[in-house]
Amino acid sequence: MTSIVPRDFDVDLAAVPRAWFGGDQVATDISNGVNLLFPHGERFFVRSVRHFLDQVEDPTLRAQVKGFFGQEGRHAHAHDDLNAVLRAQGYEIDRFLASYKRISDWLEAHTSPKVRLAATAAAEHFTASLAEGAFNRGALDVADPRMQKLLAWHAAEEIEHKAVAYDVLQAVDPSYRLRVVGLAYATVTLGGFWLWAAREMLRQDGFTLRSAVKHLRGLRRQDPIVKRVFAAGIRTYLRRDFHPSQIRNEGDAARWFAAHDMAMPEAA
Ligand SMILES: [Fe+2]
Ligand SMILES: [Fe+2]
């Protein structure tokens, strides 16, 4: 077990270009789609885990949970800043954000705390799988350097804390059924909201979802996100003996922290 260290992000995003993903507007809009979801989503993760903090007795896991809160809080803040940049670029994002918040708040109010925790554990598996692509698929190589830094910092910390919500879930209720219910919840909400947000961004640049998919196929990108994160990610998560630590990508995160003079995780 290692410590979870919240690190500050101090890059000014104001000058990020409109097509920051290698000049490709479609790829940028799809990526901005998931970026839009982060502030509200990550605060939901924190609330879901905090609800059970009193039941976490292991002092190491408790310390990791606090580090996880610190990291997700900073991520949400940095992505709020990115949303302000999108507004300044002329995107109308607030209608979408208001609807997204209204629906997810409604879902949150109508699900049990255990299901919310299980959904958070599964969503963290998805964010850690997304994060993997940042380091070993060169997914960010063509991105604007400021966005590269934002997304790599976020990705490295997602990898670092990938097991925290899962370990809390195991401590609270290790039932396989609950884990699967959480996976279904996270898949439908993350997939559905991301598709909706991407469609919204694409529409404002004159693309439809259909034209965007055609464009991406033509690019033959190195990172097939839907297959890798969702299809393969779900299969992995459904293994009865699954634990996030089985995916050995901590080295990617540690190398990035070292290369950017950021605090290194220590054995807890
Ligand atoms: Fe995060
Ligand atoms: Fe996370």
Side-chain angles (χ1 to χ4, degrees):
M1 271 194 162
T2 54
S3 59
I4 308 288
V5 196
R7 301 164 184 85
D8 290 327
F9 179 76
D10 55 3
V11 175
D12 184 358
L13 300 172
V16 166
R18 197 177 163 99
W20 58 261
F21 213 145
D24 186 319
Q25 196 63 62
V26 168
T28 303
D29 289 346
I30 292 171
S31 178
N32 280 339
V34 75
N35 286 326
L36 282 181
L37 308 182
F38 283 133
H40 185 68
E42 305 203 275
R43 291 177 179 122
F44 164 77
F45 300 161
V46 169
R47 283 195 298 280
S48 302
V49 175
R50 180 168 286 142
H51 183 89
F52 292 99
L53 188 57
D54 290 348
Q55 294 182 38
V56 178
E57 280 162 20
D58 174 27
T60 307
L61 183 56
R62 276 186 80 88
Q64 288 189 324
V65 167
K66 301 257 171 76
F68 163 76
F69 292 163
Q71 289 190 340
E72 296 295 40
R74 282 164 175 77
H75 300 168
H77 203 80
H79 282 273
D80 276 335
D81 290 348
L82 179 61
N83 285 350
V85 173
L86 295 179
R87 283 184 196 100
Q89 288 174 347
Y91 288 104
E92 160 49 69
I93 56 171
D94 290 302
R95 262 199 309 272
F96 167 78
L97 288 176
S99 305
Y100 160 54
K101 184 174 181 313
R102 201 174 51 247
I103 296 170
S104 46
D105 283 349
W106 186 90
L107 288 170
E108 187 174 341
H110 289 81
T111 40
S112 73
K114 278 189 179 179
V115 169
R116 298 198 295 261
L117 176 64
T120 298
E124 288 285 288
H125 171 62
F126 287 135
T127 53
S129 308
L130 265 176
E132 228 191 317
F135 298 110
N136 54 29
R137 302 222 164 216
L140 298 179
D141 289 355
V142 297
D144 167 79
R146 289 152 288 212
M147 286 303 291
Q148 214 173 69
K149 190 153 187 203
L150 169 69
L151 298 177
W153 161 74
H154 192 165
E157 291 198 336
E158 288 304 320
I159 287 174
E160 188 173 55
H161 72 228
K162 65 185 174 182
V164 174
Y166 190 91
D167 286 339
V168 174
L169 177 66
Q170 295 308 298
V172 168
D173 185 343
S175 110
Y176 179 72
R177 193 177 160 275
L178 176 61
R179 196 207 313 168
V180 173
V181 169
L183 176 66
Y185 186 108
T187 305
V188 171
T189 52
L190 177 64
F193 285 135
W194 188 353
L195 208 60
W196 181 13
R199 183 169 158 265
E200 218 19 66
M201 299 306 281
L202 288 162
R203 189 184 56 76
Q204 294 184 42
D205 283 318
F207 301 102
T208 60
L209 268 182
R210 190 189 290 262
S211 67
V213 169
K214 206 168 152 201
H215 172 83
L216 289 184
R217 283 213 183 108
L219 290 181
R220 296 182 187 281
R221 287 174 49 74
Q222 292 298 304
D223 189 10
I225 285 182
V226 174
K227 257 193 222 151
R228 185 178 63 79
V229 174
F230 287 99
I234 289 170
R235 263 201 315 277
T236 309
Y237 199 77
L238 284 173
R239 286 201 308 249
R240 282 201 174 253
D241 65 347
F242 171 77
H243 187 272
S245 62
Q246 292 160 354
I247 301 167
R248 304 311 311 239
N249 49 8
E250 296 80 2
D252 297 331
R255 269 189 295 281
W256 192 85
F257 293 136
H260 291 81
D261 277 336
M262 291 203 183
M264 297 295 286
E266 288 167 16

